[in-house]
Amino acid sequence: MSLFLIGLVPIILFLVLLAGLKKSAMFSAYTSLVTAIILTFIVPAWRMPVQGILASILEGFAVAWMPIGFVVIAALFAYDLSVKTGKIETVKKMLGNITTDKRAQALVLAWGFGGFIEGIAGYGTAVAIPAAIMVSLGFNPLNAALICLIANSTPTAFGTVGLPVTTMVSKLGLDKAGNFTPLFTSLLLLLLTCLIPFIIVQMANKEIEGGKNPAFGKGIVPVIIASILGYLIQPAIAITMGAELTTILSSLLAMILMIVSIKMFVKNDEGFEKAHVTGQEAFLAWLPYILMIVLIVGTSPVVAHIHEMLEPTTTKFNFALGNQAAWFKDGGDPSVTFKWLLAPAAPLFLATVIAGFIQRAKIKDMGEVLWNTTVHKIPSLTVIMGIVALSVVMKHSGMIQSIADGFVNLTGKGFPLISPFLGTIGTFVTGSDLSSNLLFGDLQHSVAEGLKPGSDMLKSLFIASNTAGATGGKMISPQNIAIAASTVGLVGQEGDMLKFTIKYSVVYAIILGILVFVGSGMIA
């Protein structure tokens, strides 16, 4: 039990520094990393040679850049270039042309388009862009921000081309068991996916005559059903294609179904005038995202011939140089896989560049955008390097195993009930589903091994649980709330936003805990 409590020190320190003392994420991450390293010298059970500590840090830094760093930069490069070329304004016009019904607008913009942007780029763009459009369409700024925060939940599990899931699957070697981690993640979130559109409509109804009329009248129910049906294909995408396209394709289908339903069942206000957008303008604006889908699918196992042809471009490097048995307490494989062409970064970057040329963007402009995007994200990626290095040091020293053993002894088979809450806490503190998984993923994995040794299914479920729980933390994350507040011009009202969203986040995690408990019982 003493090892369990001491092992929690680096994690608790990180949470206290970041959330309690309001220190920077970089300071919090690296202070916690240094603390973990000191503990490996002090506690005999976790003692590693200096070579093992250095190898662990280097392994963590490498994982932070491949695939995480490259995918983040490639995804945001695509968005930033669309801003530079002005094509994002065409997308905004098209979305504003759909309907005058505020409830339908909220569903299409916050739930559909927000989900799509989350799947492509993430990192706050899925809150900032829809919220800005909604305010321009006449939404109350506070209500627009709150709607986007609630909507930016379940889609984030597979945000930034599935990075929160694919990173952990690769890091923990769960890909050998098939696509069960993305499948379990999508299944855990299905019930919440069905509930959130109703909440969005209820909130958006306040924009129509102060909410005097019934929220679910005047043809909005078919639109809600359409929005749910689009996202219900997530399990099918997850099991057949993996995590990369799960949110992108499902949100795209949801938008299409919602637009069709709006045209059939929802009436526009009299005198509604659409902004003029030609077919060519629309095609060019959406071209980067069309190419992304084509290239990601084209290089995935779905197209086996191309995938197998590109597999030789994948390399592995053992950071312990074969000495893991002597250097590490856990004896784990410290090899990092570098998927130079098969990771989403290459298709994202290629799609953006091809689309840029077709859109007649100048090479100089594309270079400047890529440089600015990279420079802007260096601080965030440096934080991720620290968090990943912390998790790797704790894993290889045996610290994570000690914490997992303590959780198993304390909670036993009741651990699944609290499993999603770890993910929620992680995102609340770090602002990122990915960072939450990196912070608690090894712990979830080790607890699963303690409850049922050798069960990749249970390990996949607990990683899915952390991922799903992390999505509920997005709506209460101070970083996400700050983005929403600054976008709609309500800096200083972040506390009011948190008071509103926190009740939804708690219920969200409770529902997930029950589902994980039932699921783990079925597997066990």
Side-chain angles (χ1 to χ4, degrees), residues 281-354:
E281 288 174 335
F283 173 74
L284 288 175
W286 288 94
L287 182 59
Y289 309 112
I290 295 170
L291 290 176
M292 285 177 194
I293 294 170
V294 171
L295 291 175
I296 291 172
V297 172
T299 56
S300 73
V302 174
V303 185
H305 178 69
I306 296 177
H307 184 81
E308 291 170 5
M309 185 174 65
L310 294 176
E311 276 189 336
T313 63
T314 297
T315 58
K316 292 183 74 174
F317 184 77
N318 186 318
F319 283 87
L321 305 176
N323 298 303
Q324 54 264 34
W327 290 2
F328 299 149
K329 289 292 185 178
D330 69 334
D333 183 8
S335 298
V336 174
T337 300
F338 296 93
K339 295 183 178 181
W340 300 107
L341 294 180
L342 290 176
L348 287 175
F349 181 77
L350 185 59
T352 303
V353 171
I354 293 173

Side-chain angles (χ1 to χ4, degrees), residues 158-280:
F158 302 101
T160 319
V161 205
L163 208 54
V165 175
T166 57
T167 298
M168 298 312 300
V169 167
S170 175
K171 185 172 183 282
L172 299 173
L174 294 174
D175 45 354
K176 300 168 187 173
N179 289 325
F180 285 109
T181 305
L183 174 64
F184 288 158
T185 303
S186 62
L187 290 174
L188 287 174
L189 292 171
L190 272 188
L191 176 59
L192 293 163
T193 298
C194 294
L195 295 176
I196 289 173
F198 287 95
I199 298 172
I200 292 173
V201 167
Q202 185 71 49
M203 294 172 67
N205 191 54
K206 298 174 185 176
E207 304 287 336
I208 305 173
E209 297 181 4
K212 296 177 183 178
N213 299 316
F216 302 105
K218 297 184 179 180
I220 198 64
V221 172
V223 183
I224 295 174
I225 294 172
S227 75
I228 294 171
L229 289 176
Y231 277 104
L232 286 183
I233 67 167
Q234 284 198 342
I237 300 171
I239 193 65
T240 56
M241 298 183 183
E244 290 87 348
L245 291 171
T246 303
T247 284
I248 294 174
L249 292 181
S250 60
S251 60
L252 196 58
L253 178 60
M255 278 195 289
I256 293 170
L257 293 177
M258 281 191 283
I259 291 169
V260 172
S261 297
I262 288 169
K263 299 303 180 186
M264 293 175 62
F265 300 104
V266 178
K267 294 182 179 180
N268 287 320
D269 295 338
E270 292 184 12
F272 173 53
E273 295 184 5
K274 296 182 179 180
H276 181 66
V277 178
T278 67
Q280 182 181 10

Side-chain angles (χ1 to χ4, degrees), residues 391-464:
S391 71
V392 175
V393 168
M394 292 182 68
K395 176 187 175 185
H396 287 326
S397 66
M399 214 175 296
I400 288 292
Q401 188 58 54
S402 297
I403 297 172
D405 291 342
F407 269 120
V408 170
N409 292 332
L410 282 173
T411 62
K413 294 182 179 180
F415 176 80
L417 290 169
I418 66 169
S419 173
F421 281 92
L422 294 179
T424 302
I425 292 169
T427 304
F428 169 73
V429 173
T430 66
S432 162
D433 292 40
L434 173 61
S435 296
S436 177
N437 275 1
L438 292 171
L439 195 61
F440 291 118
D442 286 318
L443 173 60
Q444 300 271 10
H445 184 270
S446 296
V447 171
E449 177 66 22
L451 290 175
K452 189 176 182 182
S455 174
D456 283 346
M457 295 279 279
L458 191 60
K459 293 171 185 174
S460 291
L461 177 63
F462 280 10
I463 295 300

